[in-house]
């Protein structure tokens, strides 16, 4: 039996030992919990700097016989130390067979894309891949991709969500900073003064350079170029995608966005997107000096009987090292027959022009052409076109990223939003209005600038994205039966009312030769060239123009110049 006086001391000693053990236990638990935060809550470690970007696998879809495409994606992967798992894309023949077998409502190009991605979902199931990033066929990647993804994972709670949109073609209203820039753009939409234009450009530039975040998107669009999913989502998509193609004819973008919007899956999007579709991007692959000026295709509208125009286009291609893809066009006989058959409100050569451009948009949709430069066959180009085009495309990326629909490299009237708009001094010569010598020199010498086009006219040289082409096909087919306006007027009105994000170049570096030298298929009038002129004409240098377009020919009094 212990002495009474020793009991308190023994209790104190026991309490001290118990307290010390408790503290040590808590410290061990805390250290263990800290380790769990960086491991258990991060599937596969969520190390965005590893060779699979923190996912279990990175898939890349490629066309089996497209060596250039395979080499391009492999070069990107090698540069950024990314390990790729290749999946062969579904061919057009395979897609046509699927359409016939299952009665799919979607276009062939959408079936091709969705079935290609369905193969990836099936491979994830078969191989028990818990998470994967999926990279589309035509992408460009930021050099600091891994760093950006690592920052984005902080906002997802260091976890891989059901869907993570790594690449997007459009901004989202829920995107951090988007509300502010949309308010600025809306407030200055109709402003024509230089200060408001500068305010718009600065806002867009700051938005493009914002800090990387991950956010819950409200309406994601243009998202199938690069995204990540977990195995549960892959199983859902494998079943859901097949049903939606049969029932509704929706494309992959719509199906992915629908799952995110209706809450079927927990979705995040990376802002700004470090991976973009198409060629109009910033990465080391982006090359506005290549044979297609950085776009996926150059589509030329040329009727077979106009051999004089085909000769000029071949000469331009040879001189500048361009690869041209001639697209189907319509003549007056074709268009009149179609007008009578379908009840179009437009006819003759104006309908032929309308249908020729519409056919180019259909090609972009059906052949999955992400970006295309569309040229009419009566264009001329500046001698230093690749230098000028590089300057413009660098401005496009810095100010807009990939969030643009159309880019007018050529246009035939100045725009109300064009920088430095002034009315030229006019004088009469032989009954026609002629611009004064001083304005002519200012016009040719002004700085090359990109601007938001408000009312672009003429379609002899402009670039289009596939997303825009899809909308144009729907709008233009409907307008043929209800309005009956020329296509450039329909597009200009659509742009004015916000149908698309449209950019213009000032001064244009591709212009129409003009009716004085090359007869028009639309009109027999020969009332002078278009308002824009070239500093150094390629066709004149090659001896294919009678007069130097630097000397401004007479032009109509409704035309304006941009002088800066």
């Amino acid at each position: 039996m212990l002495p009474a006086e020793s009991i308190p001391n023994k209790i104190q000693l026991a309490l001290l030992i118990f307290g010390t053990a408790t503290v040590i236990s808590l410290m061990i638990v805390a250290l263990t919990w800290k380790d769990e935060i960086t491991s258990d809550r991060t599937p596969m470690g969520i190390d965005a700097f590893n060779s699979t970007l923190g996912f279990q696998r990175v898939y890349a879809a490629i066309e089996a016989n497209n060596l250039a495409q395979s080499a391009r994606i492999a070069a990107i992967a090698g540069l950024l130390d990314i390990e790729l798992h290749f999946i062969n894309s579904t061919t057009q023949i395979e897609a046509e067979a699927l359409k016939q077998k299952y009665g799919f409502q979607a276009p062939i190009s959408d079936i091709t894309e969705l079935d290609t991605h369905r193969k990836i979902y099936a491979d994830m199931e078969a191989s028990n891949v818990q998470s994967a990033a999926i990279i589309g066929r035509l992408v460009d990647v930021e050099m600091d991709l891994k760093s950006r993804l690592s920052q984005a994972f902080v906002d997802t709670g260091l976890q891989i969500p059901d869907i993570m949109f790594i690449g997007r073609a459009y901004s989202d209203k829920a995107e951090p900073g988007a509300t502010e820039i949309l308010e600025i753009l809306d407030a200055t939409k109709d402003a024509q003064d230089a200060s408001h234009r500068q305010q718009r450009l600065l806002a867009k530039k700051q938005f493009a350079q914002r800090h990387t975040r991950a956010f819950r998107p409200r309406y994601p669009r243009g998202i199938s170029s690069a995204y990540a999913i977990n195995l549960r989502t892959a199983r859902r998509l494998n079943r859901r995608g097949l049903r939606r193609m049969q029932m509704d004819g929706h494309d992959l973008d719509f199906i992915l966005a629908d799952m995110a919007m209706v809450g079927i899956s927990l979705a995040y999007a990376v802002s700004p997107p470090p991976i973009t579709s198409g060629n109009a991007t910033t990465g080391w692959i982006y090359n506005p000096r290549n044979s297609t000026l950085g776009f996926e295709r150059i589509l030329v509208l040329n009727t077979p009987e106009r051999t004089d125009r085909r000769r000029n286009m071949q000469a331009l291609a040879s001189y500048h090292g361009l690869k041209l893809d001639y697209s189907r066009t319509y003549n007056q006989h074709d268009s009149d027959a179609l007008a009578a058959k379908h009840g179009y409100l437009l006819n003759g050569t104006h309908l032929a022009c309308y249908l020729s451009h519409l056919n180019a948009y259909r090609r972009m949709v059906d052949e999955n052409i992400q970006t295309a430069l569309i040229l009419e066959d009566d264009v001329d180009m500046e001698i230093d076109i690749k230098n000028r085009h590089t300057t413009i495309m660098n401005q496009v990326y810095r100010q807009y990223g990939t969030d643009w629909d159309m880019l007018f490299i050529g246009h035939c009237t100045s725009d109300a939003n064009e920088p430095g708009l002034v009315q030229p001094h006019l004088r009469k010569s032989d009954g026609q209005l002629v611009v004064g010598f001083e304005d002519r020199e200012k016009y040719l010498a002004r700085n090359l600038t990109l601007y938001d086009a408000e009312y672009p006219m003429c379609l002899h040289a402009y670039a289009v994205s596939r997303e825009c082409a899809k909308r144009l096909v729907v709008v233009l087919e409907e307008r043929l039966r209800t309005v009956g306006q020329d296509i450039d007027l329909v597009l200009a009105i659509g742009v004015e009312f916000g149908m698309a994000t449209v950019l213009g170049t000032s001064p244009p570096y591709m212009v129409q030769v003009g009716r004085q030298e090359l007869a028009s298929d639309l009109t027999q009038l020969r009332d002078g060239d278009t308002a824009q002129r070239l500093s150094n004409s390629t066709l004149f240098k090659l001896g294919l123009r009678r007069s130097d377009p630097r000397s401004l020919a007479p032009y109509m009094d409704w035309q304006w110049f941009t002088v800066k």
Side-chain angles (χ1 to χ4, degrees):
M1 187 172 179
L2 292 172
E5 65 274 8
S6 68
I7 293 177
N9 294 333
K10 295 296 182 181
I11 292 174
Q12 289 177 4
L13 179 62
L15 290 173
L16 178 63
I17 293 172
F18 175 77
T20 303
T22 301
V23 170
I24 293 172
S25 298
L26 289 173
M27 289 177 65
I28 293 172
V29 169
L31 290 172
T32 303
W33 180 72
K34 180 181 178 182
D35 289 339
E36 288 177 352
I37 287 180
T38 58
S39 59
D40 292 348
R41 287 191 62 201
T42 57
M44 290 142 317
I46 300 294
D47 179 12
F49 290 94
N50 69 17
S51 62
T52 54
L53 304 177
F55 307 101
Q56 189 173 342
R57 186 173 286 181
V58 179
Y59 288 95
I62 60 169
E63 297 174 8
N65 298 320
N66 192 334
L67 298 180
Q69 181 194 79
S70 303
R72 172 180 173 171
I73 294 180
I76 294 175
L79 184 69
L80 300 183
D81 189 25
I82 300 173
E83 180 183 346
L84 296 179
H85 189 87
F86 290 105
I87 294 287
N88 286 334
S89 300
T90 299
T91 66
Q92 184 173 342
I93 295 175
E94 291 171 336
E96 289 171 347
L98 289 171
K99 186 179 181 73
Q100 184 174 8
K101 180 178 180 180
Y102 295 106
F104 291 152
Q105 301 298 311
I108 292 297
S109 59
D110 291 340
I111 296 173
T112 299
E113 181 182 43
L114 188 48
D115 190 65
T116 298
H117 286 246
R118 186 197 58 76
K119 292 177 182 177
I120 294 174
Y121 309 148
D123 188 78
M124 288 181 66
E125 288 194 71
S127 305
N128 197 33
V129 176
Q130 296 300 310
S131 66
I134 300 172
I135 298 177
R137 291 178 296 144
L138 290 166
V139 299
D140 201 357
V141 183
E142 292 286 3
M143 291 294 292
D144 57 349
L145 169 66
K146 293 184 175 181
S147 176
R148 291 175 185 243
L149 283 179
S150 181
Q151 294 173 41
F153 278 131
V154 174
D155 289 324
T156 68
L158 298 178
Q159 299 214 29
I160 296 174
D162 294 328
I163 306 178
M164 189 173 188
F165 301 119
I166 304 171
R168 286 175 296 120
Y170 296 92
S171 299
D172 190 288
K173 288 188 176 181
E175 194 165 354
T179 302
E180 293 79 0
I181 187 174
L182 289 172
E183 288 176 352
I184 293 173
L185 297 180
D186 185 62
T188 59
K189 181 178 184 299
D190 299 319
Q192 298 181 18
D193 59 281
S195 62
H196 279 111
R197 284 198 300 271
Q198 188 62 32
Q199 188 179 2
R200 289 169 65 86
L201 295 178
L202 180 61
K204 289 184 177 182
K205 183 176 181 179
Q206 290 174 342
F207 188 62
Q209 296 175 346
R210 63 199 180 277
H211 179 70
T212 299
R213 297 286 306 277
F215 69 98
R216 298 291 303 279
R218 183 178 304 172
Y219 183 53
R221 294 183 297 155
I223 48 182
S224 59
S225 61
Y227 61 100
I229 57 174
N230 58 23
L231 181 56
R232 180 177 63 175
T233 303
R235 292 192 181 106
R236 288 175 174 172
L237 285 168
N238 202 8
R239 298 188 300 271
R240 188 178 181 84
L242 196 64
R243 290 200 305 268
R244 296 305 292 269
M245 277 202 298
Q246 287 175 305
M247 295 166 50
D248 310 315
H250 290 310
D251 61 12
L252 179 59
D253 262 12
F254 184 94
I255 294 168
L256 290 172
D258 186 52
M259 291 184 70
M261 291 167 59
V262 301
I264 296 176
S265 301
L266 176 63
Y268 280 87
V270 182
S271 171
I275 298 181
T276 54
S277 61
N279 296 306
T281 53
T282 183
W284 64 281
I285 293 292
Y286 161 62
N287 183 12
R289 296 176 179 272
N290 69 12
S291 61
T292 54
L293 297 178
F295 305 106
E296 188 176 343
R297 301 269 186 91
I298 298 179
L299 302 179
V300 178
L301 310 183
N302 172 252
T303 53
E305 58 267 22
R306 291 307 302 264
T307 56
D308 54 341
R309 296 188 173 200
R310 176 69 70 100
R311 174 206 63 192
N312 283 4
M313 294 307 300
Q314 291 296 96
L316 289 170
S318 177
Y319 185 85
H320 291 294
L322 301 178
K323 181 182 179 182
L324 305 181
D325 185 336
Y326 289 94
S327 187
R328 178 189 174 186
T329 56
Y330 294 80
N331 56 33
Q332 183 171 351
H333 176 75
D334 297 331
S335 60
D336 286 342
L338 289 170
K341 179 179 179 180
H342 298 290
Y344 295 151
L345 299 180
L346 198 65
N347 54 35
T349 53
H350 292 273
L351 177 58
C353 178
Y354 195 111
L355 293 175
S356 297
H357 285 271
L358 179 56
N359 181 65
Y361 308 147
R362 289 196 186 107
R363 275 195 64 185
M364 292 185 67
V365 175
D366 293 341
E367 298 177 26
N368 200 30
I369 301 171
Q370 298 301 313
T371 56
L373 175 61
I374 299 176
L375 301 179
E376 292 181 344
D377 57 3
D378 59 348
V379 298
D380 192 2
M381 306 174 183
E382 291 282 6
I383 284 288
D384 60 346
I385 182 174
K386 290 190 175 180
N387 290 339
R388 291 172 183 254
H389 187 61
T390 299
T391 299
I392 285 295
M393 292 310 293
N394 286 341
Q395 292 182 43
V396 169
Y397 180 78
R398 287 197 303 268
Q399 298 173 19
Y400 299 87
T402 58
D403 192 12
W404 59 272
D405 295 307
M406 303 176 76
L407 170 63
F408 280 80
I409 292 171
H411 47 86
C412 62
T413 59
S414 292
D415 192 291
N417 203 31
E418 196 169 348
L421 185 68
V422 300
Q423 189 173 16
H425 301 293
L426 303 175
R427 60 182 176 81
K428 282 203 170 185
S429 174
D430 298 327
Q432 292 180 307
L433 289 169
V434 183
V435 67
F437 177 78
E438 316 81 42
D439 287 325
R440 178 192 310 164
E441 293 305 308
K442 289 179 183 178
Y443 171 80
L444 293 172
R446 69 195 191 278
N447 295 331
L448 185 61
T449 309
L450 182 76
Y451 67 94
D452 289 316
E454 298 269 338
Y455 199 84
M457 289 295 291
C458 295
L459 301 175
H460 52 274
Y462 64 105
V464 186
S465 71
R466 183 176 182 270
E467 290 296 321
C468 182
K470 290 169 70 173
R471 298 198 299 273
L472 289 176
V473 168
V474 175
V475 171
L476 291 173
E477 288 181 343
E478 184 268 336
R479 293 297 178 89
L480 266 178
R481 296 176 174 84
T482 59
V483 179
Q485 293 173 324
D486 285 354
I487 185 170
D488 50 357
L489 186 58
V490 174
L491 291 181
I493 293 173
V495 172
E496 189 178 29
F497 285 93
M499 181 184 72
T501 300
V502 180
L503 311 177
T505 58
S506 174
Y509 40 91
M510 290 191 187
V511 303
Q512 289 174 299
V513 170
R515 292 182 289 271
Q516 286 187 336
E517 296 194 54
L518 208 56
S520 171
D521 291 328
L522 296 183
T523 178
Q524 298 304 312
L525 294 176
R526 294 173 179 266
D527 51 10
D529 245 337
T530 53
Q532 283 71 25
R533 297 297 181 271
L534 299 175
S535 295
N536 291 287
S537 159
T538 303
L539 290 180
F540 183 72
K541 178 181 177 64
L542 297 175
L544 296 174
R545 293 191 70 167
R546 294 192 300 272
S547 58
D548 187 349
R550 184 179 176 86
S551 59
L552 292 171
Y555 72 104
M556 303 303 289
D557 60 356
W558 52 267
Q559 293 171 328
W560 292 63
F561 282 119
T562 303
V563 180
K564 187 170 182 178

